């Protein structure tokens, strides 16, 4: 997605060879027009998959997930990192390791919002080692829901996430695929390789 790549180059900051900061438009300050374009792109790619729910993990995936749900006309399920006293239903849970935060946490989804009748589109802001998406896939499996695909805003293609998800049979579609963050420069995977 050219628009997204341009914003990454313009407003993203390479903090190290493994970390790209995009808090000016994606996960701290959010650009709604860009999120709308992202949602429309995901919806177009996955429109034939029979998606009934979009799912993400709080908090950074919520904006792209909501705009994707809006474009597809389906509800958005947000996996919670902290379970509040209002979530008293039975829960499906999975443990996830965050590359960025360097910590483990448990994500949970109430059994009342996902069932065997659902086909889920998983949306996340970043794909690095694939742990968040694998955790969401595990929750879908626990609740009997099918995974129709995984939409990633920014993929770090130099890490193992894509191959781990594809080994599980997932259709992974990334809007921006980064080949390298070496020497403080963002290098993208060439266009013709960006879609399998």
């Amino acid at each position: 997605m050219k628009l997204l790549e341009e914003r990454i180059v313009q407003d993203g900051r390479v903090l190290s060879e493994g970390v790209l900061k995009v808090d000016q438009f994606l996960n701290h300050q959010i650009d709604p027009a860009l999120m709308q374009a992202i949602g429309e792109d995901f919806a177009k790619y996955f429109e034939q998959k029979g998606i009934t729910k979009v799912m993400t993990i709080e908090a950074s995936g919520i904006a792209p997930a909501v705009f994707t749900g809006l474009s597809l006309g389906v509800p958005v399920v947000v996996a919670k990192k902290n379970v509040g006293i209002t979530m008293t239903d039975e829960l499906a849970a999975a443990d996830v390791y965050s590359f960025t935060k360097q910590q483990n946490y448990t994500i949970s989804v109430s059994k009342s919002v996902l069932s065997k009748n659902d086909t889920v589109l998983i949306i996340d802001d970043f794909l690095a080692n694939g742990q968040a998406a694998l955790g969401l896939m595990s929750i879908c499996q626990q609740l009997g829901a099918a995974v129709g695909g995984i939409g990633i805003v920014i993929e770090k293609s130099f890490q193992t996430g894509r191959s781990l998800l594809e080994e599980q049979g997932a259709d992974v579609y990334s809007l921006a695929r980064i080949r390298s963050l070496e020497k403080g420069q963002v290098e993208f995977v060439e266009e013709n390789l960006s879609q399998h």
Side-chain angles (χ1 to χ4, degrees):
M1 182 184 209
K2 214 72 192 151
L3 179 64
L4 177 60
E5 289 182 0
E6 288 167 3
R7 282 302 291 277
I8 291 168
V9 170
Q10 177 186 320
D11 294 324
R13 286 189 22 234
V14 177
L15 300 184
S16 72
E17 291 186 359
V19 180
L20 174 68
K21 189 173 184 177
V22 289
D23 65 347
Q24 293 300 304
F25 59 91
L26 180 58
N27 55 22
H28 185 45
Q29 175 172 271
I30 295 168
D31 179 336
L34 178 61
M35 290 307 118
Q36 184 173 16
I38 284 170
E40 289 167 356
D41 196 317
F42 283 141
K44 185 173 182 213
Y45 183 85
F46 291 106
E47 67 188 350
Q48 302 301 317
K49 297 280 191 163
I51 303 299
T52 61
K53 300 268 173 81
V54 172
M55 184 163 67
T56 192
I57 298 176
E58 63 179 1
S60 299
I62 294 175
V66 166
F67 279 98
T68 304
L70 183 66
S71 293
L72 287 170
V74 300
V76 177
V77 175
V78 179
K80 300 290 191 174
K81 291 180 185 172
N82 299 302
V83 178
I85 58 171
T86 59
M87 281 185 76
T88 55
D89 301 338
E90 287 187 62
L91 302 173
D95 291 325
V96 171
Y97 177 75
S98 169
F99 172 81
T100 312
K101 295 185 175 64
Q102 302 278 302
Q103 68 182 35
N104 287 303
Y105 55 90
T106 301
I107 56 171
S108 303
V109 170
S110 169
K111 292 180 179 181
S112 67
V113 297
L114 214 55
S115 75
K116 61 180 177 22
N117 301 319
D118 287 311
T119 300
V120 176
L121 171 56
I122 292 170
I123 298 289
D124 209 359
D125 60 339
F126 272 94
L127 173 59
N129 295 317
Q131 298 308 298
L134 287 170
L136 291 170
M137 289 174 74
S138 171
I139 286 173
C140 288
Q141 186 177 28
Q142 291 171 50
L143 299 176
V147 175
I150 299 173
I152 301 295
V153 179
I154 301 170
E155 174 188 333
K156 296 183 208 170
S157 297
F158 54 88
Q159 291 179 289
T160 59
R162 175 179 282 271
S163 59
L164 285 173
L165 299 177
E166 288 178 341
E167 284 169 15
Q168 299 294 317
D171 179 5
V172 180
Y173 176 60
S174 300
L175 300 183
R177 296 185 65 197
I178 295 174
R179 184 167 65 84
S180 169
L181 294 173
E182 291 176 14
K183 298 178 183 149
Q185 297 297 310
V186 178
E187 288 184 38
F188 296 102
V189 172
E190 295 302 316
E191 252 332 288
N192 59 356
L193 300 175
S194 66
Q195 294 179 20
H196 286 6

